[in-house]
Amino acid sequence: MSKKETIKITGMHCASCAVNISHDLQKQEGVKMADVNYATEKAVVEYDEDRVSREKLKETIVKAGYGIQEEGHHHEDSGGHEYDHNGNVKKERLRVILSVILSLPIVIRMFFMWEIPGEFWGVSLTNWIQHDLTFIIVFFLGWKFHKVAFEQLKRFRANMDTLISMGTLTAYFYSLYAMFVGQEVYFESAASITTLILLGKYLELKSKGRASQAMKKLMELGVKKAKLITSDGKEIEIEINDIKVGDILLVRPSEKIPLDGVVIEGESNISESMLTGESLPVSKKVGDKVFGATINENGVIKIKITEVGEGTVLAQIIKTVEEAQYYKAPIQKLADRISAIFVPIVIVIAIASFLGWFFISKDFPLALINGVAVLIIACPCALGIATPIAVMVGTSIGARKGILIKNGESFEKAKNIDVVVLDKTGTLTKGEPKVQEVLVNENYDFEEKHILKIGGSLANLSEHPLSKAVNDFIKDKDIQFAEIEGFEEISGQGIAGACKIHKVKLLLGNIKLLKNNNLDISWAKKILEKYSNSGGTINFLVHGDKIIGGFLIADEIKEGAKEAIEQIKELNLEPIMISGDNKIAASAVAKEINIKNYLAEVLPHEKQNEIKKLQEQGKRVVFVGDGINDAPSLVQADLGIAMGAGTDIAKESGNIILMKGDPRKIVEAIKLSKKTFKIIKQNLFWAFFYNVVAIPLAIAGLISPMMAAIAMSLSSITVITNSLRIYRDN
């Protein structure tokens, strides 16, 4: 049976670590896929649990020289994750402080050449002190680098730790030899390299914490406790993990909704900004759904819990963002392959540099130091984190704004798009028919209030969407409905009945209903002609044998739809609307939101074909939709964006999910994707450029091992800092 597991890994120091762990896992029988992400420090493994166990996978990771951190579910993990990160930062900081304190006397002595009088075993006390301090720094504080390097050596592999270990141990053991034969020692190189790399790792860890800040805030949205209403009506405080589906919770003003549920008592305005990115609160009444982590602003409400644990919207959002951060974009996979072969190449270059300098200068210490500088400066840390750090920041920011990016590949897909194809109903329009105008036949003595009363009396008995539109229009008006008898729904035409008191026949429906009842339709024809370009539907109201009025009903355009289209054009992208609706309705919407190109009366399977046609023309297509019929098009498009208010299958098919059905979020999603990929390219350019420039300088002897350690650390921090620039525009 196939199973997918996420394993938290500790002790990774570079992208090569991730590549090597992934390689070891994939060698295990029964493992189908293993993807290890250095930035998130997690492995996603898909395996056959009948052939290999989770314990075996963990054992494989431990044997490779790394650690395992057990994780709980989302609520627990959110607190635990933050604690663990802070704990690691504190440990690294302590390690750095001790290393600085111990290496300071060695470095000062290098500049001032002070000597402590006396000898021991024929060696000066000054050299013994340097040795002892260096030994502690290299073999205790920096032991983790040597441990992993040794584990890699046993497997005939190399990574960043190999370079660090080779560099520092070479400097240490040569200095140990030199100390006894009376030559110049280089303990300061071994000590300072270790100290500077420890400092770099500490700063990188802190920066990575900043990069995942948005994600941490998302994970911390959940509440720990809630107020449960017991069966006897008492109010008790209860842990969030003890709540079950069906429990009744009380939520007061300014409190967070604990979990997903339905309002069963009270009314209130709920701020859903932390889930949708929308600042305006949403009015909630009995029967409305509410979601965990949203804030109850003013009213006291009781909710019945419908989802707990992994089933809640917040948990699903967190899961989606986490999975996106695990997934490696194609460009990152290339970087990982380069990292895997880069370290062995650097070792060869370092040895060649050493030999070259030795044969040219005959100066063994000089050749050795230059070789060490090459080893240290070429560590591929920046290359390994260039993509995953940017993806981590981009997906986390997206989640905060109500934009769920399902995988890192989405950033790459968004880079060259030309066309944005938008479904009409549910994407640009609300997908809910609304009464736009009440029509009154001036030939008869009926006023608008009569139209509303008679039409409402009939519509109130029907579940048809057009009848519902009439009901919604008059529900807040002070209208007393008439009692109806003999009510019936006439398929494809409308509804009929009779006033119980006056025994008058009543009809509400289309022109076909009028014709079938042999009515004079001259006024109806004039009305249809008048509103022919409105894109709406007219339901005519009949009282006896008179057409006394009617209702113009149309799908309402979403707020922000027109603005979204203008923003799409500003990005030099071509907007195209596609709809299964009739040409008149589609034309009316297109005109309203200023879209020149639109397709009407397109069947679901034809939508997918239209996307194919555009792609065959060399266009890269974004498709935005929300319904079941949009799923094939979302998959077909180069980038699929699903509206969060849509169906589950549509959301499952899309690369990006917009939690709120605001069309303006489409542009935000595209901009964020493009910005993130731009940052990824900048990071990779810097990482490659750094090594292209730095390695020749080290070979030429222009960079000391100490300077190399500083440069290597700064390159990683530069990449992380550049990734954090995504926050600036968002």
Side-chain angles (χ1 to χ4, degrees):
M1 183 179 174
S2 184
K3 190 175 182 181
K4 187 179 281 188
E5 291 272 2
T6 300
I7 304 172
K8 177 76 174 177
I9 302 172
T10 60
M12 288 195 294
H13 305 133
C14 67
S16 299
C17 296
V19 172
N20 291 336
I21 295 171
S22 178
H23 183 265
D24 285 348
L25 289 170
Q26 286 174 339
K27 286 197 310 184
Q28 298 300 314
E29 186 181 355
V31 173
K32 299 177 181 178
M33 179 277 293
D35 201 352
V36 182
N37 193 313
Y38 168 59
T40 61
E41 299 177 325
K42 290 180 181 180
V44 179
V45 188
E46 187 177 352
Y47 62 98
D48 186 345
E49 56 184 341
D50 295 327
R51 299 168 64 192
V52 64
S53 66
R54 190 178 195 273
E55 292 306 313
K56 179 65 177 177
L57 300 176
K58 289 162 62 177
E59 184 185 324
T60 302
I61 295 170
V62 172
K63 279 185 177 179
Y66 304 94
I68 301 292
Q69 180 184 312
E70 296 293 343
E71 292 188 285
H73 59 73
H74 288 294
H75 290 291
E76 292 173 345
D77 188 52
S78 64
H81 179 85
E82 175 69 15
Y83 173 81
D84 177 68
H85 178 77
N86 286 338
N88 287 336
V89 169
K90 288 177 180 177
K91 287 178 184 177
E92 288 299 317
R93 183 168 63 228
L94 179 61
R95 195 177 276 116
V96 169
I97 291 171
L98 289 173
S99 192
V100 168
I101 292 171
L102 294 174
S103 61
L104 203 58
I106 305 173
V107 175
I108 292 173
R109 191 265 171 191
M110 179 182 69
F111 288 104
F112 295 98
M113 302 302 295
W114 52 262
E115 296 286 336
I116 297 175
E119 290 186 354
F120 183 70
W121 283 1
V123 177
S124 72
L125 289 178
T126 302
N127 281 348
W128 275 116
I129 292 172
Q130 289 188 92
H131 166 269
D132 293 347
L133 294 174
T134 302
F135 183 84
I136 296 170
I137 294 168
V138 172
F139 291 99
F140 285 92
L141 300 177
W143 174 245
K144 61 181 181 179
F145 302 121
H146 310 302
K147 179 185 175 184
V148 175
F150 180 70
E151 293 293 339
Q152 296 305 310
L153 182 63
K154 290 195 297 185
R155 291 165 172 78
F156 301 99
R157 293 200 302 245
N159 63 0
M160 187 204 83
D161 298 291
T162 308
L163 301 181
I164 295 170
S165 183
M166 285 181 65
T168 54
L169 292 181
T170 300
Y172 169 79
F173 283 113
Y174 173 76
S175 297
L176 186 64
Y177 162 78
M179 185 173 78
F180 285 101
V181 298
Q183 295 181 5
E184 186 180 356
V185 297
Y186 294 91
F187 286 121
E188 75 280 352
S189 293
S192 61
I193 289 170
T194 304
T195 300
L196 289 167
I197 290 173
L198 286 172
L199 176 61
K201 287 296 168 186
Y202 164 70
L203 294 174
E204 182 182 315
L205 190 62
K206 283 201 71 174
S207 299
K208 283 170 69 177
R210 283 186 62 202
S212 60
Q213 191 175 20
M215 182 65 182
K216 290 174 186 175
K217 287 180 179 178
L218 188 66
M219 298 175 78
E220 292 168 355
L221 287 175
V223 299
K224 302 297 182 185
K225 295 183 179 182
K227 297 178 180 67
L228 176 72
I229 304 298
T230 62
S231 55
D232 57 358
K234 292 182 179 178
E235 179 187 330
I236 60 170
E237 195 168 67
I238 185 173
E239 295 289 333
I240 198 77
N241 293 330
D242 295 329
I243 296 173
K244 303 182 296 294
V245 173
D247 282 350
I248 308 298
L249 304 182
L250 179 71
V251 187
R252 292 189 172 89
S254 301
E255 292 181 346
K256 284 186 179 181
I257 307 292
L259 294 166
D260 297 4
V262 177
V263 179
I264 61 171
E265 187 180 311
E267 293 184 12
S268 186
N269 291 318
I270 307 294
S271 172
E272 297 181 343
S273 61
M274 63 289 298
L275 298 183
T276 66
E278 291 293 316
S279 58
L280 293 176
V282 182
S283 178
K284 300 286 184 179
K285 60 184 184 303
V286 174
D288 289 340
K289 292 181 179 179
V290 291
F291 306 103
T294 57
I295 300 172
N296 179 28
E297 292 202 341
N298 46 20
V300 178
I301 56 173
K302 288 182 181 178
I303 63 171
K304 185 176 183 179
I305 299 302
T306 56
E307 295 287 350
V308 297
E310 300 291 325
T312 64
V313 169
L314 177 62
Q316 290 172 11
I317 290 173
I318 292 171
K319 184 180 178 183
T320 300
V321 177
E322 285 182 332
E323 287 179 350
Q325 295 177 353
Y326 304 153
Y327 185 89
K328 290 181 180 177
I331 196 169
Q332 172 62 23
K333 292 177 180 179
L334 173 63
D336 283 352
R337 286 196 294 271
I338 293 171
S339 295
I341 62 171
F342 189 73
V343 172
I345 292 172
V346 168
I347 293 173
V348 172
I349 293 172
I351 294 171
S353 177
F354 163 74
L355 293 173
W357 274 98
F358 181 72
F359 285 119
I360 293 171
S361 68
K362 307 298 181 184
D363 188 336
F364 183 86
L366 177 64
L368 188 70
I369 290 302
N370 288 336
V372 169
V374 173
L375 287 173
I376 300 302
I377 204 164
C379 288
C381 288
L383 186 62
I385 62 175
T387 297
I389 285 290
V391 169
M392 180 189 294
V393 175
T395 53
S396 299
I397 288 174
R400 189 187 70 194
K401 297 168 71 71
I403 302 167
L404 292 188
I405 299 166
K406 292 170 67 175
N407 53 59
E409 190 178 8
S410 300
F411 299 121
E412 200 159 345
K413 286 180 174 181
K415 64 177 179 177
N416 292 321
I417 56 173
D418 308 295
V419 178
V420 181
V421 179
L422 306 105
D423 177 53
K424 179 180 77 70
T425 306
T427 301
L428 295 171
T429 66
K430 293 182 177 180
E432 301 173 358
K434 298 285 184 184
V435 173
Q436 305 296 317
E437 189 175 342
V438 179
L439 308 171
V440 181
N441 190 341
E442 64 281 357
N443 297 318
Y444 301 108
D445 193 21
F446 286 90
E447 299 176 7
E448 182 175 316
K449 63 181 181 181
H450 299 125
I451 306 299
L452 294 175
K453 180 174 181 176
I454 298 168
S457 300
L458 279 173
N460 188 49
L461 302 174
S462 172
E463 295 296 325
H464 193 276
L466 294 179
S467 296
K468 187 178 182 297
V470 175
N471 288 326
D472 289 342
F473 182 75
I474 64 177
K475 66 181 179 181
D476 296 326
K477 296 177 172 60
D478 188 19
I479 294 177
Q480 189 73 35
F481 292 141
E483 199 170 348
I484 302 296
E485 62 180 11
F487 176 81
E488 69 172 318
E489 299 219 31
I490 306 166
S491 180
Q493 298 181 48
I495 53 181
C499 178
K500 192 173 182 179
I501 298 174
H502 300 104
K503 308 297 181 183
V504 179
K505 184 178 180 180
L506 305 174
L507 301 172
L508 181 64
N510 57 28
I511 192 76
K512 189 175 181 180
L513 180 66
L514 306 184
K515 289 178 179 178
N516 288 343
N517 282 271
N518 300 314
L519 298 170
D520 179 4
I521 60 171
S522 55
W523 181 80
K525 283 183 175 179
K526 290 179 184 177
I527 294 296
L528 287 173
E529 187 178 350
K530 180 180 177 181
Y531 293 98
S532 60
N533 294 321
S534 69
T537 299
I538 296 177
N539 261 16
F540 294 101
L541 182 64
V542 176
H543 184 274
D545 60 355
K546 305 180 182 72
I547 305 172
I548 63 172
F551 300 92
L552 174 62
I553 302 171
D555 193 0
E556 223 176 359
I557 293 172
K558 283 186 176 180
E559 182 183 354
K562 188 174 182 179
E563 186 180 345
I565 299 303
E566 291 305 313
Q567 290 174 350
I568 289 171
K569 291 176 182 177
E570 288 171 4
L571 293 176
N572 293 319
L573 304 175
E574 180 188 2
I576 299 175
M577 188 184 77
I578 192 166
S579 175
D581 214 339
N582 63 73
K583 290 181 179 179
I584 294 174
S587 174
V589 172
K591 186 178 180 180
E592 180 69 23
I593 62 177
N594 198 23
I595 285 185
K596 291 182 179 179
N597 297 328
Y598 65 92
L599 300 167
E601 299 176 5
V602 182
L603 297 175
H605 69 279
E606 292 175 336
K607 288 185 182 180
Q608 186 181 10
N609 291 334
E610 293 297 337
I611 302 290
K612 283 183 181 177
K613 287 179 185 177
L614 288 168
Q615 291 171 326
E616 288 167 359
Q617 296 170 18
K619 305 284 188 181
R620 294 182 63 86
V621 182
V622 176
F623 179 79
V624 189
D626 74 317
I628 291 175
N629 61 353
D630 295 328
S633 299
L634 286 165
V635 174
Q636 179 64 44
D638 297 285
L639 181 67
I641 300 178
M643 306 298 278
T647 62
D648 289 339
I649 192 167
K651 287 183 277 187
E652 197 63 34
S653 304
N655 304 107
I656 298 174
I657 302 167
L658 306 182
M659 293 298 294
K660 194 75 174 176
D662 186 344
R664 288 168 293 194
K665 290 288 181 182
I666 299 167
V667 180
E668 285 190 45
I670 294 172
K671 282 183 176 180
L672 177 61
S673 298
K674 284 178 170 287
K675 176 72 174 178
T676 302
F677 190 76
K678 183 180 178 182
I679 292 293
I680 289 171
K681 288 197 297 182
Q682 290 174 353
N683 287 349
L684 288 171
F685 172 80
W686 166 253
F688 282 114
F689 177 79
Y690 160 77
N691 280 295
V692 167
V693 173
I695 293 176
L697 290 175
I699 294 172
L702 300 175
I703 297 176
S704 69
M706 191 182 300
M707 290 172 61
I710 295 172
M712 188 270 286
S713 298
L714 286 177
S715 68
S716 297
I717 296 167
T718 300
V719 164
I720 296 172
T721 304
N722 190 49
S723 298
L724 292 172
R725 287 174 56 230
I726 303 172
Y727 281 110
R728 190 176 66 187
D729 301 324
N730 293 279

